[in-house]
Amino acid sequence: AFEASSGPIRAVAFSASAMAPVMKRSFKAAAGAAKRAKKEAKAAEASAAKPAAGEEVEASKEEAPEDQQEALARQEEATAAARRKELKAMAVESLGGLLEQRGLARGKKLDMVEALVAHEAAGRAEERQRAARLREVVVKKKEELEAMPAGELRDLCSTETGARGQLTKQARVEMLMKAWQEADGVDRALAAMVRDEREGQLNALDKEALRACCERSGV
């Protein structure tokens, strides 16, 4: 009886052992699918909670400038307060010498302190404006080069830098930017920007104001 039944028993045992890897893979696949589903659900939830792309960009445009201006105002206020304290501690003669070096008139000590604080604040504002213009002209030039058709960019790069052969677009743009900067392109672009701004201001004046401006300039 034992011999007769040993065949089926071995077959059952063999089938179970053969099925074990299959079942193991099935469990792994199911677990992986569950994890993916959970991850996708979280992503969908996060996406639903976020504002639309246009709304997010619009919000950042509205908030960022205000935040930067507030931070800058606080920084300037702290800088001016520290400088004011430093100047008040100086002797009157030394303080007057600082004003004369900057082309400012002497006066009462407190008046000289405030005049120098205002003068230095104006200088910092002018430097920030120059830095902003510098960034603007560099970005504008780079965008112009990146917008050029590949053939024109290749020819311009060959003419301006002498570079030939197979180069990526980014490599050509970088080479042209370097050549432009070395040829005083930044200074010329800044000068053109200032000239255009001044021209716009003058064009906005009425005839009487423009005539008065010309008379003051001796034109």
Side-chain angles (χ1 to χ4, degrees):
F2 178 79
E3 292 295 334
S5 60
S6 60
I9 291 174
R10 284 197 298 269
V12 170
F14 175 78
S15 299
S17 62
M19 287 296 294
V22 177
M23 296 175 66
K24 188 175 182 180
R25 288 194 298 270
S26 298
F27 290 148
K28 285 185 177 181
K35 289 177 69 176
R36 286 194 300 273
K38 188 175 181 181
K39 187 176 181 181
E40 291 172 359
K42 286 185 176 181
E45 183 179 356
S47 178
K50 288 172 63 177
E55 296 175 357
E56 187 175 4
V57 171
E58 190 65 30
S60 65
K61 286 182 179 179
E62 292 176 357
E63 295 174 4
E66 183 177 356
D67 293 341
Q68 291 176 0
Q69 290 175 4
E70 290 178 356
L72 178 59
R74 288 193 297 269
Q75 181 182 352
E76 274 297 309
E77 184 178 352
T79 301
R83 183 58 169 159
R84 188 177 289 110
K85 182 178 180 181
E86 180 184 355
L87 294 173
K88 285 181 178 179
M90 293 180 63
V92 174
E93 188 61 29
S94 299
L95 184 59
L98 284 179
L99 268 77
E100 289 180 349
Q101 290 175 10
R102 291 159 175 76
L104 302 175
R106 289 174 179 258
K108 295 181 180 179
K109 184 172 183 178
L110 290 181
D111 293 340
M112 290 192 295
V113 167
E114 292 303 322
L116 192 53
V117 168
H119 178 77
E120 292 177 350
R124 289 191 297 272
E126 185 178 348
E127 184 59 31
R128 285 193 299 271
Q129 185 180 33
R130 174 176 170 79
R133 285 174 171 171
L134 177 62
R135 288 191 297 271
E136 184 178 347
V137 297
V138 170
V139 169
K140 182 179 180 181
K141 181 64 176 180
K142 187 176 181 182
E143 289 177 346
E144 289 176 357
L145 293 174
E146 290 176 339
M148 292 180 65
E152 292 183 16
L153 185 64
R154 182 187 62 246
D155 294 341
L156 181 62
C157 187
S158 177
T159 302
E160 296 293 330
T161 70
R164 292 177 174 81
Q166 296 296 325
L167 295 171
T168 63
K169 180 178 182 179
Q170 186 61 32
R172 288 195 172 97
V173 168
E174 291 176 358
M175 293 175 70
L176 285 167
M177 288 294 296
K178 183 179 179 181
W180 175 69
Q181 292 172 9
E182 291 175 349
D184 296 329
V186 174
D187 289 338
R188 292 201 302 270
L190 287 173
M193 178 182 289
V194 172
R195 184 179 63 250
D196 292 343
E197 289 179 357
R198 183 57 178 163
E199 184 178 350
Q201 293 170 357
L202 294 174
N203 286 330
L205 296 175
D206 57 34
K207 291 182 179 180
E208 293 301 322
L210 185 58
R211 182 181 295 107
C213 185
C214 290
E215 290 175 354
R216 286 194 301 270
S217 301
V219 179

